[in-house]
Amino acid sequence: MADALSVIPASVLRNLSDKLYEKRKNAALEVEGIVKQLTTAGDHDKITAVINLLTTEFTYSPQANHRKGGLIGLAAATVGLTSEAAQHLEQIVPPVLNSFSDQDSRVRYYACEALYNIAKVVRGDFIIFFNQIFDALCKLSADSDANVQSAAHLLDRLVKDIVTESDQFSIEEFIPLLRERMNVLNPYVRQFLVGWITVLDSVPDIDMLGFLPDFLDGLFNMLSDSSHEIRQQADSALSEFLQEIKNSPSVDYGRMAEILVQRAASPDEFTRLTAITWINEFVKLGGDQLVPYYADILGAILPCISDKEEKIRVVARETNEELRAIKADPAEGFDVGAILSIARRQLSSEWEATRIEALHWISNLLNRHRAKVLTFLNDIFDTLLEALSDPSDQVVLLVLEVHACIAQDPQHFRQLVVFLVHNFRVDNSLLEKRGALIIRRLCVLLDAERVYRELSTILEGESDLDFASIMVQALNLILLTSAELSELRDLLKHSLVNPSGKDLFVSLYASWCHSPMAIISLCLLAQTYQHASTVVQSLVEEDINVKFLVQLDKLIRLLETPIFAYLRLQLLEPGRHVWLLKALYGLLMLLPQQSAAFKILRTRLKTVPLYSFNGEQLRRTSSGNPYQILHHMPGGSQITEDGDINQDSKNSHNGINFASRLQQFEQMQQQHRQHVKVQAQSHRNSTSSSTPKDVQRPEELSRTSSSDVNRPPSRSRRATGQLQL
């Protein structure tokens, strides 16, 4: 320090710490001249002493004016050093950088001014301090003092110029600092950062694209900034990078894909649109690089398909189609399980469009990688079954297509039907609201006969008798009314002459026994009229309840539809179809006379021609009652199931043992009657402990039940769990 004091006059040192800027400036000019002389003389020891004096006594002084003088003095010394300044930068730059965090805004301002002048002299030599300078400028860009901000901007422009022309700049050392700063939320800092990214990207020798994954997330984060200018700058930078990606032969798509997937779920609309646009381009350009990331990309695309913004929906749909069109192989890293997991998760989406596309993906994977998908069946099967309760018909139809594809294998077919029956059992609303749709569609996709045979086999052993009855009634109604099951009905119509029809009739009969009306309907459809009449005659008092009458009402109305046109036409030949007449009259006798169904059936029976056979002659009956036809049969003749006159009648026809079938029906009905009794007893036991005023006495309850049976069923009334026509 003594060397410095001997070189610099005391008056200069005094003026260097003066409160007046002009005096400090003049003192700095004298320091510049002194250093220039020492440089010419090559006396670097004294130059070092001068710099140390300015640093210790001035820039680190507790007095603000001293610090200001020290900064301007260091800048002047650097100017005096000219080309020799580089070897003293280790002494000069650190104290200036330290002053950037000074509490006095004027000191910070002069620090910017000093470094600006130093940088103008040394240019590229100060690149070794670039990270420290960048960090300091990053903070100063958000300085609370406008003058400091202005000075920092001037210094920033100069540093950018120096960096762009320097061949010593290390992008590898700079990127970690940039990545760290990208998380700052201050708008001034963000503007500063985007500016630097844009400048560095414009330098041909700097490969910013190779480091894009390090700061891409930060740029996307800026797209949701409250400042329109920052959003615009970030979008402009991203657009430029995307264009470079399109033109670059080598890009790290994988790391960036992870970032884009996260940003596609951003609450900010503009961020989502930009992210999904990038993903769209990546799917087009990425090729094999993106195969391991397909599941993540799909997880980002599917929610965007239902985005409230139309632009996002359009791009997402296009991307989804492009991704699905790529034929990747599991051997190449294509993770079928991960894709299925994403699709399964999106089946729970609140948006219909997303659920539909998730099902398209499962269907697509089944078609391409069936064996692999089936290994993950346990992971998705329950979700697919739950989707059958979806409020959207389109979703349900697609789920059924997926189920049908899975059920091509016998074991999976059985599993599907078992689970379907289980779901119907535990969710009555599913059977009521979706039952017909599900069963009809499955019959189209998987063959109606196969579906009905399997359902019948399962329901035959069903322990829940109430559910079995309701389920059989539903299946029977679908069988009688659905256009999709017309071939099945045609097959059943020939049960007495066709072995295939006979096998189907026998197969369905076992489970149809759960419902008397379902059995009667099946017999009428199969033209086994004698057995239908026998079933009607076998019914006892307990069988004829409100539920039975509701079902009978439906059947009578169905008899008037085109499906039973063949049966009505058979009434034109009452002599050949006496058992049909007897079955219909039996049903008529069971209906309350004031009911609409009674009037419909009676009106139909009145139209039956009053003719009967007598050998080869036709004879009109005199009474005008078609039921008398039953008494005008030739002596010794018998009527078989199809109504033709034969010489003898047996208990079987075409291999169908009707006596055995009747016994099977009666046994099942006995189980149902016993079940009803047990339920009634349980109910009485649960209510016997209390006798509220509104509880009827047994005799009153009996009278009420009797009147309910005789009362014609209202069209608006239906029993619990019954399907409506």
Side-chain angles (χ1 to χ4, degrees):
M1 185 177 291
D3 291 341
L5 292 174
S6 65
V7 173
I8 303 176
S11 60
V12 173
L13 294 175
R14 188 168 51 252
N15 288 336
L16 199 59
S17 60
D18 197 275
K19 64 179 181 179
L20 295 177
Y21 173 74
E22 287 300 323
K23 288 187 176 182
R24 295 198 302 273
K25 180 180 178 181
N26 290 331
L29 290 174
E30 292 189 39
V31 170
E32 177 186 338
I34 293 169
V35 171
K36 190 175 293 185
Q37 292 176 4
L38 293 173
T39 302
T40 303
D43 194 347
H44 287 280
D45 291 337
K46 289 186 177 179
I47 294 174
T48 299
V50 169
I51 294 173
N52 285 336
L53 173 66
L54 294 173
T55 300
T56 56
E57 297 298 322
F58 286 86
T59 60
Y60 291 132
S61 169
Q63 301 297 322
N65 289 330
H66 280 68
R67 297 197 296 275
K68 295 172 188 177
L71 290 168
I72 196 171
L74 287 173
T78 305
V79 173
L81 283 166
T82 60
S83 60
E84 301 292 329
Q87 59 184 300
H88 295 282
L89 285 179
E90 291 285 353
Q91 294 174 273
I92 296 172
V93 174
V96 177
L97 292 175
N98 182 69
S99 299
F100 280 142
S101 57
D102 198 282
Q103 294 182 350
D104 192 320
S105 61
R106 296 306 295 169
V107 174
R108 298 196 300 275
Y109 175 85
Y110 287 119
C112 292
E113 182 183 76
L115 192 57
Y116 183 90
N117 291 324
I118 293 168
K120 283 179 66 176
V121 174
V122 299
R123 302 298 291 185
D125 290 330
F126 94 138
I127 288 295
I128 58 173
F129 297 101
F130 175 77
N131 277 13
Q132 296 96 308
I133 294 171
F134 179 87
D135 194 35
L137 287 174
C138 188
K139 296 173 183 175
L140 290 177
S141 64
D143 199 277
S144 57
D145 189 282
N147 290 325
V148 175
Q149 279 193 21
S150 179
H153 290 160
L154 287 173
L155 174 60
D156 180 53
R157 283 201 291 269
L158 176 61
V159 174
K160 285 174 180 173
D161 290 341
I162 295 171
V163 168
T164 55
E165 66 187 27
S166 172
D167 57 359
Q168 300 178 33
F169 176 73
S170 174
I171 185 67
E172 291 82 3
E173 295 179 5
F174 168 64
I175 288 298
L177 177 62
L178 176 63
R179 182 174 59 243
E180 180 184 342
R181 289 288 174 264
M182 290 299 286
N183 295 321
V184 177
L185 300 179
N186 186 283
Y188 296 107
V189 175
R190 284 183 162 182
Q191 206 165 6
F192 169 80
L193 294 171
V194 175
W196 266 100
I197 290 171
T198 303
V199 167
L200 292 175
D201 187 48
S202 66
V203 180
D205 295 334
I206 298 177
D207 180 24
M208 285 294 282
L209 185 60
F211 295 95
L212 181 57
D214 291 287
F215 56 88
L216 180 64
D217 189 59
L219 283 175
F220 267 94
N221 201 27
M222 294 180 190
L223 292 176
S224 58
D225 196 276
S226 57
S227 168
H228 174 73
E229 185 177 359
I230 293 174
R231 293 198 304 272
Q232 197 171 38
Q233 289 179 353
D235 180 51
S236 177
L238 285 168
S239 298
E240 184 63 31
F241 278 119
L242 185 57
Q243 190 59 44
E244 291 178 30
I245 289 172
K246 293 178 183 180
N247 299 328
S248 175
S250 177
V251 178
D252 184 1
Y253 291 101
R255 286 179 61 197
M256 289 188 283
E258 295 176 353
I259 296 168
L260 297 175
V261 165
Q262 295 176 359
R263 288 299 169 181
S266 169
D268 179 68
E269 182 181 299
F270 186 46
T271 303
R272 291 199 308 277
L273 177 59
T274 307
I276 205 70
T277 301
W278 273 61
I279 291 174
N280 179 270
E281 294 296 338
F282 274 30
V283 170
K284 294 176 182 176
L285 302 169
D288 295 341
Q289 279 195 50
L290 284 180
V291 170
Y293 301 94
Y294 277 180
D296 293 335
I297 292 174
L298 181 63
I301 293 172
L302 290 179
C304 290
I305 287 174
S306 303
D307 199 278
K308 61 183 179 180
E309 174 58 41
E310 183 180 1
K311 292 180 180 178
I312 296 175
R313 294 198 303 271
V314 170
V315 178
R317 286 189 177 279
E318 179 186 335
T319 309
N320 183 56
E321 294 301 322
E322 290 169 351
L323 189 64
R324 197 155 55 210
I326 299 173
K327 297 181 179 180
D329 191 270
E332 301 170 355
F334 181 68
D335 193 340
V336 173
I339 294 285
L340 284 173
S341 178
I342 293 293
R344 178 185 58 80
R345 187 161 63 244
Q346 293 302 327
L347 280 178
S348 302
S349 169
E350 61 179 310
W351 306 110
E352 178 184 357
T354 295
R355 299 196 300 274
I356 288 173
E357 289 306 319
L359 286 167
H360 280 311
W361 267 97
I362 296 175
S363 179
N364 182 269
L365 290 175
L366 272 168
N367 292 332
R368 291 184 181 177
H369 312 289
R370 178 180 177 80
K372 192 71 174 177
V373 171
L374 292 180
T375 62
F376 297 99
L377 189 58
N378 290 336
D379 298 333
I380 64 172
F381 200 75
D382 288 345
T383 304
L384 289 173
L385 285 171
E386 291 171 4
L388 291 171
S389 304
D390 196 278
S392 165
D393 284 352
Q394 189 175 357
V395 170
V396 172
L397 291 174
L398 283 172
V399 172
L400 289 172
E401 289 185 12
V402 172
H403 276 301
C405 188
I406 294 172
Q408 290 174 7
D409 301 326
Q411 71 272 24
H412 294 131
F413 172 76
R414 169 76 179 178
Q415 187 181 15
L416 167 62
V417 180
V418 168
F419 272 98
L420 190 58
V421 171
H422 171 73
N423 274 23
F424 284 147
R425 184 189 304 110
V426 299
D427 185 2
N428 289 331
S429 63
L430 177 62
L431 177 60
E432 185 175 350
K433 297 176 182 178
R434 285 279 190 272
L437 176 67
I438 292 171
I439 298 300
R440 287 164 52 196
R441 189 60 184 162
L442 279 181
C443 286
V444 172
L445 296 170
L446 291 173
D447 179 62
E449 182 178 351
R450 184 185 180 199
V451 171
Y452 261 71
R453 281 179 178 272
E454 192 65 43
L455 285 168
S456 180
T457 301
I458 294 170
L459 291 172
E460 181 182 356
E462 175 61 48
S463 59
D464 186 342
L465 297 181
D466 290 334
F467 165 72
S469 178
I470 294 171
M471 185 73 190
V472 165
Q473 290 167 18
L475 292 174
N476 183 62
L477 187 60
I478 296 167
L479 174 64
L480 295 178
T481 58
S482 299
E484 295 88 344
L485 275 71
S486 60
E487 293 183 4
L488 201 62
R489 290 195 294 271
D490 290 340
L491 184 59
L492 284 168
K493 287 177 186 177
H494 299 89
S495 297
L496 295 177
V497 295
N498 187 324
S500 298
K502 183 249 328 185
D503 290 343
L504 178 60
F505 176 82
V506 173
S507 175
L508 296 184
Y509 194 100
S511 60
W512 259 235
C513 287
H514 284 291
S515 169
M517 199 47 58
I519 280 290
I520 294 169
S521 303
L522 182 64
C523 290
L524 293 178
L525 185 62
Q527 303 187 65
T528 57
Y529 300 137
Q530 182 178 0
H531 190 65
S533 177
T534 305
V535 169
V536 173
Q537 296 289 332
S538 73
L539 297 175
V540 298
E541 180 182 349
E542 291 93 331
D543 298 328
I544 306 171
N545 52 32
V546 174
K547 293 181 180 180
F548 174 86
L549 293 176
V550 169
Q551 291 298 313
L552 179 53
D553 183 277
K554 293 178 182 179
L555 175 59
I556 299 307
R557 296 176 190 278
L558 279 173
L559 291 177
E560 297 299 313
T561 63
I563 291 171
F564 281 103
Y566 71 93
L567 182 147
R568 299 196 300 274
L569 290 172
Q570 287 173 346
L571 294 175
L572 293 173
E573 300 180 275
R576 294 188 64 227
H577 302 285
V578 176
W579 287 113
L580 170 59
L581 275 171
K582 187 172 182 180
L584 293 178
Y585 268 102
L587 295 177
L588 185 68
M589 294 304 107
L590 297 178
L591 285 165
Q593 293 189 47
Q594 300 304 315
S595 67
F598 178 88
K599 296 173 183 178
I600 291 171
L601 183 54
R602 184 181 62 177
T603 301
R604 172 60 62 187
L605 290 173
K606 281 184 177 180
T607 64
V608 176
L610 305 181
Y611 294 101
S612 180
F613 287 106
N614 183 9
E616 299 295 327
Q617 305 296 322
L618 287 172
R619 178 169 62 83
R620 181 184 298 273
T621 61
S622 58
S623 67
N625 183 358
Y627 196 74
Q628 284 193 357
I629 296 171
L630 296 174
H631 302 289
H632 290 283
M633 299 308 301
S637 296
Q638 299 287 337
I639 304 297
T640 61
E641 289 294 337
D642 61 358
D644 288 335
I645 301 176
N646 285 304
Q647 292 303 312
D648 63 316
S649 176
K650 300 180 180 178
N651 287 329
S652 65
H653 193 91
N654 192 29
I656 302 176
N657 189 334
F658 285 105
S660 176
R661 298 283 81 77
L662 180 62
Q663 184 179 12
Q664 185 179 22
F665 169 73
E666 290 177 339
Q667 289 175 349
M668 181 62 73
Q669 286 307 301
Q670 184 59 37
Q671 291 183 34
H672 278 269
R673 293 177 199 128
Q674 186 64 33
H675 175 66
V676 170
K677 288 180 182 178
V678 171
Q679 283 186 322
Q681 182 63 40
S682 176
H683 177 71
R684 284 195 296 271
N685 291 340
S686 64
T687 57
S688 61
S689 58
S690 61
T691 54
K693 294 181 179 180
D694 58 345
V695 174
Q696 294 173 307
R697 291 192 300 273
E699 60 272 17
E700 292 175 342
L701 184 61
S702 176
R703 288 198 295 273
T704 302
S705 300
S706 176
S707 63
D708 282 345
V709 171
N710 292 323
R711 185 183 302 120
S714 170
R715 296 188 65 180
S716 63
R717 178 202 234 171
R718 64 185 173 95
T720 303
Q722 302 299 310
L723 296 182
Q724 294 298 303
L725 285 173

